[in-house]
Amino acid sequence: MIIDKLIERSVAKQNPTVLGLDTRIEYVPEHIKRQYFASGVDMKMACEAILEFNCSIIDAVYDIVPAVKIQMAYYEMYGFYGIKCFNDTARYAKSKGLIVIGDVKRNDIGATAQAYATAYLGQTFIDDGVAQNAFDVDFITVNPYLGFDGIKPFVDACKAYDKGLFILVKTSNPSSGQIQDVVTRDGKSIYQIVGQLVEEWGQDVIGQFGYSAVGAVVGATYPEQLLRLRQDMKHTYFLVPGYGAQGASAEDIINGFDEHGLGAIVNASRSIICAYKSDKWSKAFKPEEFYQAARCEAIDMRNDIATAMIMKR
């Protein structure tokens, strides 16, 4: 089961982190852009530069991290070529043995949700028994706002194709509380109710470690809520954004882990892929050495979380 593979690779590397490839052309060093923009500037060339940048960072960290998360929005903004870059990045990451999370945050009603599930988790029927994968990812992120009829096609695809979900429960953005923290008549916040539903929706796809392939997105920027959800959602693995550039610390995120050090995988995007621009690493590495800066930052993140978990015990 895919959730078991994620856990096994996290344990093998002693690292519960995810490399977030939320890549824009502005993040790509000048020496790569000059190479692709030599004969002109357009979206195709921008995406070729982004793909080289992504692959170089993957090469630098694939032995450290168990997974990558690729945010589709950063690729959609480059149109057709961006979608191809997303898929090429996913395929390259998988060729290096990494679990791939497609951060697509899809959902809709009935048939449209089914189409999204087919696109990202299943196979598209073409003709006369021929079906192919549209995107080569292992997990996707999903918005639960439409209720179970918008979630069921994704859960069914997880069962049929050994895929996984991370459903939005408590997000890391500052205004998430406008909706997610609203208290209902029974005294529970919206995010707690959604958490209960996610726990129920994942009961049929629980792996050997006791965790479901239907996981939850829970932001590190709200450590108290993260702890409450960890206590309530015994079988749900968490994808935890917010570490690094969004301001959450290792001490904030450890509430997402269980007593065995499992239960969560922590994402960092800009703090790793743009490490070469940071005050921390810019003096140690030239822009041409961006991938080395990314590796050092990924190692520091791993060690930071490990230290925080030891201190918690």
Side-chain angles (χ1 to χ4, degrees):
M1 190 173 289
I2 191 63
I3 188 61
D4 295 329
K5 294 177 184 176
L6 176 60
I7 294 170
E8 288 166 353
R9 293 180 197 185
S10 298
V11 170
K13 295 179 179 180
Q14 292 295 289
N15 188 6
T17 69
V18 182
L19 165 66
L21 290 170
D22 301 357
T23 313
R24 307 169 64 108
I25 192 62
E26 297 96 302
Y27 301 163
V28 178
E30 287 299 322
H31 73 281
I32 295 179
K33 288 192 282 189
R34 284 197 302 269
Q35 175 186 344
Y36 288 96
F37 292 169
S39 60
V41 178
D42 61 21
M43 287 191 176
K44 180 176 184 292
M45 295 171 184
C47 290
E48 289 173 350
I50 288 170
L51 181 61
E52 178 174 330
F53 177 79
N54 286 349
C55 291
S56 295
I57 291 182
I58 290 169
D59 285 342
V61 304
Y62 75 88
D63 63 322
I64 300 169
V65 302
V68 299
K69 181 177 75 67
I70 312 172
Q71 169 52 262
M72 177 60 95
Y74 285 85
Y75 299 84
E76 288 179 348
M77 63 192 289
Y78 298 100
F80 166 80
Y81 297 107
I83 303 300
K84 182 177 185 300
C85 184
F86 173 95
N87 217 24
D88 288 345
T89 298
R91 287 176 175 170
Y92 190 76
K94 292 194 80 170
S95 78
K96 293 294 184 177
L98 297 173
I99 298 292
V100 177
I101 302 168
D103 193 355
V104 298
K105 296 185 177 71
R106 295 299 194 260
N107 204 345
D108 211 307
I109 59 173
T112 310
Q114 179 65 63
Y116 279 137
T118 297
Y120 288 101
L121 301 176
Q123 292 187 331
T124 301
F125 173 80
I126 300 171
D127 186 43
D128 195 23
V130 177
Q132 294 181 348
N133 298 99
F135 294 100
D136 196 11
V137 300
D138 299 301
F139 290 82
I140 62 168
T141 55
V142 176
N143 191 322
Y145 191 73
L146 285 85
F148 186 61
D149 60 346
I151 294 292
K152 186 177 184 298
F154 295 97
V155 176
D156 289 344
C158 289
K159 295 176 185 177
Y161 298 99
D162 188 22
K163 301 287 185 173
L165 305 177
F166 288 106
I167 300 175
L168 303 183
V169 173
K170 177 59 182 172
T171 57
S172 59
N173 56 303
S175 64
S176 66
Q178 288 182 320
I179 296 175
Q180 296 165 14
D181 291 357
V182 171
V183 177
T184 62
R185 285 180 294 181
D186 63 359
K188 292 184 178 180
S189 299
I190 295 294
Y191 77 85
Q192 292 177 281
I193 293 172
V194 175
Q196 289 176 341
L197 290 171
V198 171
E199 181 83 355
E200 293 171 11
W201 294 338
Q203 288 300 307
D204 292 339
V205 282
I206 293 177
Q208 65 183 24
F209 293 96
Y211 282 102
S212 173
V214 177
V217 177
V218 184
T221 48
Y222 298 99
E224 292 182 7
Q225 289 92 330
L226 179 59
L227 176 60
R228 185 176 298 118
L229 289 168
R230 178 71 285 148
Q231 293 169 340
D232 292 344
M233 303 172 72
K234 303 296 187 184
H235 304 289
T236 305
Y237 225 77
F238 292 170
L239 171 62
V240 183
Y243 178 93
Q246 292 188 53
S249 68
E251 290 72 22
D252 294 327
I253 62 99
I254 57 174
N255 286 340
F257 294 94
D258 65 22
E259 64 273 19
H260 305 294
L262 302 178
I265 192 157
V266 184
N267 178 76
S269 300
R270 283 170 292 164
S271 58
I272 294 178
I273 66 176
C274 295
Y276 77 100
K277 294 184 175 185
S278 69
D279 293 339
K280 182 178 178 182
W281 299 113
S282 60
K283 293 180 180 179
F285 298 103
K286 301 174 183 178
E288 293 80 5
E289 300 169 321
F290 67 93
Y291 53 91
Q292 295 183 40
R295 179 179 178 85
C296 287
E297 181 61 27
I299 291 172
D300 273 10
M301 178 182 176
R302 177 195 65 190
N303 294 344
D304 190 27
I305 293 172
T307 299
M309 292 179 72
I310 291 170
M311 295 296 290
K312 181 182 179 181
R313 294 173 188 157

